[in-house]
């Protein structure tokens, strides 16, 4: 083992959604030694600050609720939103994995339920699964990381950023990890890049996402796209680098988000010019961000009422916004009008429901919302089993990528992002890669 500080079978770069799932699945093979190198759990992963909503079509939870759905229908919805038919094989592989990994997560003791009350634009069936307490991704990641403790053949190494790949004779043979200020060379049969995307890197955002303006950044600081610079010299290709997971539900001055289900419960948007400017139900939160970017002051007032509040308040997003004081309460139309800088008559007209929608009644709630960037969606091209491909479409031996490191499911534009795509890419590809490695077919 000359020149090496240690040796493993599988080196996973990043201990977030994709990395932990890869390790859990690969470790079922007791003959494999797996190491997860995590930059810093203190800085955190996007999965842990996410809502933890898991999109899956055709689960037993849906069946029990009488919801008809399937992986095929899920894939078709994603592709209808993204228009990215070239990516169909990857999308179909992930959607096929989704019911399996969601049910498996539940079988490990995590309290999963179908979010029948979580409608989202572009989703033809209720498909978001969540924890029963609606506590979000932090709870889920704590649960999954704790499961790693049950495997003697996995090491989760924290405060251990990977700073590069070891490449010998054109082959990836390991990773370089920083530990306690020293570089360690870790030999690995297989390297899995699960270090997320680049939305936390101002340089890469300027290079690829400058058209998004100056959004609030709502992701973790660790998402700096480290792996991108390592794979390009190997001939890997990047794709859809101009797409992001955006949110048009970020509360101005607070950075918290309000529930995407509010528009489906009658909430209306009014801009600073006193105009309704969009059919609130028709847009996903990622594409709503682009619409808000084009409004005066890049913001609008989102207004809802007690009925809408009751239907949405049990979510980590609403709890955080309410705790932060990001929501203003107005017992009467007059108070709401004063907040908007409009007359009561104008405000009444502005609240008029679109055809077929419910009418809001006092008391009202208001949050000024703007656009934010949560994560990048462009990344490394892989095949449906997660192998990183070179420009000719051939797999680069021993190298895999998943989650935000890989090309996502939104297509070329942020508008194509469908709710749940992020964790689907991450857990789904971790599931596929880890299963393949455990079976020796990876
Ligand atoms: C606020 C918010 C809400 C969201 N809500 C949802 C949702 O409800 N549903 C959904 O599907 N998606 C959601 N997403 C998107 C989802 O969180 C991401 O798509 C997903 O977490 C990506 O998984 P990942 O494993 O690639 O990255 P992460 O979960 O971010 O994990 C990557 C890990 O890699 C580590 N890392 C980075 N660089 C290195 C390095 N050089 N060496 C070692 N380790 C490294 C990081 O520290 C991190 O722990 C949300 C995102 C945000 C920001």
């Amino acid at each position: 083992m000359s020149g090496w500080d240690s040796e493993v079978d599988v080196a996973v770069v990043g201990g977030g959604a994709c990395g932990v799932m890869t390790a859990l699945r690969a470790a079922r093979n007791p003959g494999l030694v797996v190491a997860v190198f995590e930059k810093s759990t203190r800085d955190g992963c996007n999965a842990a600050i996410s809502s933890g909503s898991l999109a899956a079509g055709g689960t037993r939870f849906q069946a029990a609720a009488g919801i008809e759905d399937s992986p095929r229908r899920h894939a078709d919805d994603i592709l209808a939103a993204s228009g990215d038919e070239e990516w169909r094989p990857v999308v179909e592989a992930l959607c096929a994995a989704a019911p399996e990994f969601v049910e498996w997560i539940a079988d490990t003791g995590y309290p999963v339920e179908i979010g029948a009350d979580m409608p989202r634009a572009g989703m033809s069936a209720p498909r978001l699964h969540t924890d029963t307490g609606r506590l979000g991704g932090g709870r889920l990641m704590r649960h999954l990381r704790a499961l790693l403790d049950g495997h003697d053949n996995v090491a989760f190494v924290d405060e251990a950023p990977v700073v590069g790949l070891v490449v010998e004779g054109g082959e990836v043979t390991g990773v370089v990890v920083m530990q306690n200020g020293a570089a360690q060379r870790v030999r690995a049969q297989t390297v899995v890049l699960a270090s997320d995307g680049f939305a936390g890197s101002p340089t890469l955002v300027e290079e690829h996402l400058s058209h998004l303006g100056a959004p609030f950044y709502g992701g973790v600081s660790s998402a700096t796209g480290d792996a991108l610079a390592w794979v390009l010299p190997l001939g890997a290709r990047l794709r859809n680098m101009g797409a992001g997971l955006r949110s048009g539900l970020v509360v101005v001055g607070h950075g918290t988000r309000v529930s995407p289900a509010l528009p489906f419960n009658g909430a209306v948007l009014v801009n600073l010019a006193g105009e309704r400017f969009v059919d609130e139900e028709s847009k996903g939160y990622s594409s709503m961000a682009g619409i808000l970017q084009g409004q005066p002051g890049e913001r609008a007032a989102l207004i809802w009422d007690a009925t809408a509040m009751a239907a949405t308040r049990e979510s980590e997003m609403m709890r955080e916004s309410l705790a932060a004081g990001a929501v203003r309460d107005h017992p009467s139309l007059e108070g709401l009008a004063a907040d908007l800088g409009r007359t009561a008559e104008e405000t009444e007209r502005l609240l008029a429901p679109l055809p077929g929608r419910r009418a809001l009644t006092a008391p009202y709630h208001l949050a000024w919302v703007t656009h934010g960037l949560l994560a990048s969606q462009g990344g490394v091209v892989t095949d449906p089993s997660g192998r990183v491909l070179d420009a000719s479409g051939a797999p680069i031996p021993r190298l895999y990528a998943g989650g935000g490191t890989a090309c996502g499911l939104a297509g070329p534009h942020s508008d194509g992002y469908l709710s749940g795509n992020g964790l689907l890419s991450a857990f789904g590809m971790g599931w596929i890669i880890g299963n393949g490695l455990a079976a020796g077919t990876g």
Side-chain angles (χ1 to χ4, degrees), residues 12-19 37-41 43-55 128 141 145 160-163 194-197 218-220 222-227 230 245 257 285 316 374-375 377 402-405 417 419-427:
V12 180
V13 183
C18 181
F37 297 106
E38 166 53 40
K39 195 190 255 182
S40 169
T41 51
D43 294 342
C45 61
N46 272 331
I49 64 162
S50 78
S51 304
S53 306
L54 305 173
L128 290 182
M141 288 311 297
R145 283 184 180 151
V162 173
V163 293
S195 48
D196 208 349
V220 288
S222 60
T224 44
D226 302 355
W230 311 334
L245 158 52
R257 291 169 297 136
Y285 45 81
E316 103 292 352
L374 304 186
Q377 289 299 296
T405 307
Y417 184 93
S419 188
N421 278 1
L423 291 175
L424 171 62
S425 293
F427 285 132

Side-chain angles (χ1 to χ4, degrees), residues 30-426:
L32 291 179
V33 174
V34 182
V36 181
F37 297 106
E38 166 53 40
K39 195 190 255 182
S40 169
T41 51
R42 250 182 323 164
D43 294 342
C45 61
N46 272 331
I49 64 162
S50 78
S51 304
S53 306
L54 305 173
T59 66
R60 66 177 189 243
F61 302 99
Q62 290 173 305
I67 297 163
E68 263 185 51
D69 201 7
S70 66
R72 179 62 198 235
R73 187 163 163 184
H74 187 184
D76 286 345
D77 281 356
I78 289 173
L79 290 160
S82 71
D84 194 5
E85 277 297 326
E86 189 191 325
W87 213 231
R88 182 179 275 279
V90 173
V91 174
E92 287 185 346
L94 292 170
C95 290
E100 294 176 15
F101 76 72
V102 167
E103 293 184 3
W104 175 81
I105 287 173
D107 292 341
T108 64
Y110 193 72
V112 173
E113 67 178 8
I114 177 70
D117 56 344
M118 295 167 71
R120 300 288 186 267
M123 214 171 264
S124 64
R127 183 179 292 142
L128 290 182
H129 298 70
T130 176
D131 65 294
T132 49
R134 308 285 168 105
L135 298 179
R139 178 186 197 181
L140 178 56
M141 288 311 297
R142 280 193 299 281
H143 174 81
L144 294 176
R145 283 184 180 151
L147 292 180
L148 288 174
D149 296 341
H151 294 277
D152 292 343
N153 55 339
V154 182
F156 186 95
V157 193
D158 201 1
E159 299 297 325
V162 173
V163 293
L165 301 175
V166 181
V167 181
E168 297 174 309
E171 285 236 323
V172 177
T173 54
V175 293
V176 181
V177 185
M178 292 304 292
Q179 272 190 286
N180 301 319
Q184 308 276 315
R185 281 161 56 90
V186 180
R187 187 175 194 171
Q189 291 301 318
T190 303
V191 174
V192 181
L193 303 173
S195 48
D196 208 349
F198 60 87
S201 160
T203 312
L204 290 173
V205 167
E206 174 61 29
E207 186 180 342
H208 300 290
L209 296 172
S210 59
H211 54 284
L212 305 187
F216 171 84
Y217 178 50
V220 288
S221 61
S222 60
T224 44
D226 302 355
L228 302 182
W230 311 334
V231 298
L232 289 176
L234 297 170
R237 203 157 58 88
L238 305 181
R239 196 164 177 276
N240 291 342
M241 293 296 280
L245 158 52
R246 308 177 78 184
S247 172
L249 294 166
V250 175
V251 184
V252 177
H254 293 276
T256 57
R257 291 169 297 136
V258 289
S259 170
L262 281 168
F264 293 87
N265 287 280
V268 303
L269 280 162
V270 176
N271 68 14
L272 282 171
E275 298 158 341
R276 294 274 293 274
F277 53 90
V278 68
D279 172 348
E280 293 84 357
E281 259 191 38
S282 68
K283 301 286 174 191
Y285 45 81
S286 192
S287 75
M288 191 63 91
I291 292 170
L292 284 181
Q293 189 184 356
Q295 297 307 306
E298 301 187 23
R299 66 190 59 191
L302 184 67
I303 301 159
W304 64 99
D305 65 2
T307 303
M309 183 70 114
T312 58
R313 75 178 306 147
E314 288 313 319
S315 67
E316 103 292 352
M317 281 175 275
M318 292 303 278
R319 277 191 220 109
E320 282 173 15
S321 283
L322 290 165
V327 176
R328 307 183 197 183
D329 300 331
H330 291 296
S332 68
L333 185 71
E334 288 68 27
L336 176 67
D339 200 349
L340 290 172
R342 304 282 144 196
T343 65
E345 292 70 33
E346 282 173 321
T347 304
E348 197 162 17
R349 268 200 306 277
L350 283 168
L351 295 186
L354 295 176
R357 309 281 163 80
R358 60 177 291 270
L360 300 178
T361 55
Y364 302 100
H365 306 284
L366 178 153
W368 287 95
V369 289
T370 186
H371 60 107
L373 173 63
L374 304 186
S376 57
Q377 289 299 296
V380 175
V381 174
T382 70
D383 70 7
S385 54
R387 295 181 300 178
V388 176
L389 302 181
D390 69 15
S392 72
I396 297 173
R398 304 145 72 112
L399 189 62
Y400 289 77
T405 307
C407 175
L409 309 181
H413 304 294
S414 311
D415 293 1
Y417 184 93
L418 213 60
S419 188
N421 278 1
L423 291 175
L424 171 62
S425 293

